[in-house]
Amino acid sequence: MAAMSYLSVIERYHEHEQLVKELLESILVGISDPIMLSDPGIRVRAMAEMANSYPFIELLYVLDGSGMQISDNVAIVNRVVQSVPVGRNLNRSHRPYFSKTQQADSLKITHPYLSNASGKLCLSASYRIGDDEEQGYIVVDVNLTQLIEFMMGDSARRKATPLFKGVYSALVLGLFIMVMVLISMAAVDIVALLSQGVVPSGSIKPFGIIIFITLALAVFDLGKTILEEEVLMHKDIFRHSSTRRTITRFISTILIAISIEALLTMFKASLGEMKYVQPAILMMFAVVGLLVALGVYVYLGAKAELLLKQANGKS
């Protein structure tokens, strides 16, 4: 549940590029008043309204017909929208959002890029206002990550992310403590076994030690999976592949643990402990059943996601 990576953000942007364009166009059309070119108070009020409804808008300024910035930057400073005396009289005619405005469309949006100010992925969108006598352009900078979260309705979940991380971290800590307990129990048994000198042939005590170590390995792998999937990595809950990856890792951990236990139980049976034969066989069948079920799940999940992508592409 870490923040979205740049690759995830850009991938989502390309999937919803048309929707992003329509949303930004509706926002800019709503404030496209020629008075924006000359009235600083109107610009601040417009930015305040946008910031209240669209938290991904970071910056607003206006250009004249030649691409010269004729206003200060209007930004959110300490949660307050205000005009910042930066940017005025800068020549932005070389910027993609201006050079492309010479074409027929009133709205132009850049490709995603890293902002020099924040170091985060963003977009710049420009909208032409005014007439031939007094023409200008409204430009807004957009935090792309927040825009994607806004469009996907993920903002509320992101606010609860620290709580989720705290719970998962506590659970992982508990699992790691249990790993240390199992390792210490195995260490005590190893010392006791070595103190006996020669281990009698056919003794099953070493298998008990192996079981402790195996359980410690399985529990550690489970804790590591939870830590990576739910705390350190970004998990896109809107993608089937993300959920499928998590389930696959959990089932794989269980498979490894059961397989080792089944093998150890089979060894015990081979040493004359016939009561372990049936449990060993049942565990091996359980491993095979889980493996087959996991393969079917991964195959059907990947196929379903491919069909969904094709359907979205056609729509």
Side-chain angles (χ1 to χ4, degrees):
M1 291 186 297
M4 293 179 69
S5 67
Y6 288 161
L7 289 177
S8 298
V9 173
I10 294 175
E11 185 179 13
R12 280 295 187 184
Y13 166 73
H14 286 301
E15 289 179 2
H16 305 288
E17 187 170 357
Q18 183 59 35
L19 294 177
V20 169
K21 181 177 180 181
E22 292 175 4
L23 175 60
L24 293 180
E25 184 173 18
S26 67
I27 294 172
L28 290 174
V29 167
I31 62 171
S32 60
D33 190 334
I35 198 173
M36 291 274 289
L37 298 174
S38 57
D39 191 332
I42 292 294
R43 291 193 289 266
V44 172
R45 284 197 293 272
M47 181 63 184
E49 292 175 359
M50 288 191 298
N52 184 51
S53 302
Y54 309 105
F56 49 83
I57 303 292
E58 293 187 325
L59 188 68
L60 178 147
Y61 52 90
V62 295
L63 311 177
D64 63 14
S66 64
M68 186 70 68
Q69 183 170 334
I70 57 175
S71 74
D72 294 333
N73 291 340
V74 182
I76 302 175
V77 180
N78 296 325
R79 298 184 179 182
V80 178
V81 175
Q82 55 185 278
S83 183
V84 182
V86 174
R88 181 184 289 271
N89 297 324
L90 286 179
N91 184 0
R92 301 187 182 273
S93 60
H94 62 286
R95 298 296 179 88
Y97 54 80
F98 177 81
S99 59
K100 293 182 179 180
T101 56
Q102 308 307 319
Q103 302 174 14
D105 294 340
S106 297
L107 176 72
K108 289 298 173 185
I109 301 176
T110 66
H111 293 297
Y113 67 93
L114 288 175
S115 169
N116 290 331
S118 64
K120 299 179 180 179
L121 275 176
C122 69
L123 299 173
S124 291
S126 64
Y127 191 81
R128 187 168 62 246
I129 58 176
D131 51 27
D132 294 337
E133 295 182 358
E134 186 180 8
Q135 188 179 85
Y137 303 90
I138 304 173
V139 183
V140 294
D141 287 351
V142 175
N143 184 308
L144 186 55
T145 301
Q146 293 182 5
L147 171 60
I148 296 299
E149 291 176 354
F150 177 87
M151 294 183 64
M152 299 178 68
D154 200 30
S155 300
R157 187 184 69 89
R158 297 299 302 172
K159 293 178 181 179
T161 294
L163 175 61
F164 297 156
K165 284 186 176 182
V167 173
Y168 278 118
S169 298
L171 293 174
V172 169
L173 179 61
L175 289 174
F176 285 166
I177 291 175
M178 290 307 303
V179 169
M180 299 305 298
V181 170
L182 290 169
I183 291 176
S184 63
M185 293 172 65
V188 170
D189 286 350
I190 290 174
V191 172
L193 189 65
L194 293 177
S195 64
Q196 295 178 3
V198 179
V199 179
S201 178
S203 173
I204 62 172
K205 287 186 177 180
F207 292 104
I209 297 173
I210 296 175
I211 289 174
F212 282 134
I213 295 175
T214 303
L215 287 175
L217 175 63
V219 174
F220 177 81
D221 201 20
L222 179 61
K224 173 175 169 289
T225 299
I226 295 175
L227 183 65
E228 291 177 343
E229 291 286 334
E230 306 296 347
V231 179
L232 301 179
M233 296 172 59
H234 169 70
K235 185 176 181 181
D236 191 345
I237 63 173
F238 295 96
R239 291 193 183 280
H240 295 279
S241 57
S242 179
T243 303
R244 191 169 65 249
R245 181 193 68 208
T246 302
I247 293 177
T248 300
R249 294 190 65 183
F250 276 117
I251 298 298
S252 298
T253 301
I254 295 172
L255 273 171
I256 293 172
I258 297 178
S259 298
I260 295 175
E261 293 301 321
L263 185 61
L264 292 175
T265 306
M266 190 67 73
F267 284 157
K268 289 180 182 179
S270 67
L271 292 175
E273 298 287 337
M274 300 306 297
K275 61 182 180 180
Y276 292 114
V277 174
Q278 186 175 357
I281 294 174
L282 292 176
M283 279 193 287
M284 292 303 293
F285 276 122
V287 169
V288 173
L290 279 174
L291 191 58
V292 171
L294 180 61
V296 172
Y297 170 76
V298 172
Y299 172 76
L300 294 179
K303 191 172 183 180
E305 186 172 12
L306 180 60
L307 292 175
L308 286 173
K309 287 183 178 180
Q310 292 175 349
N312 291 335
K314 291 179 180 179
S315 61

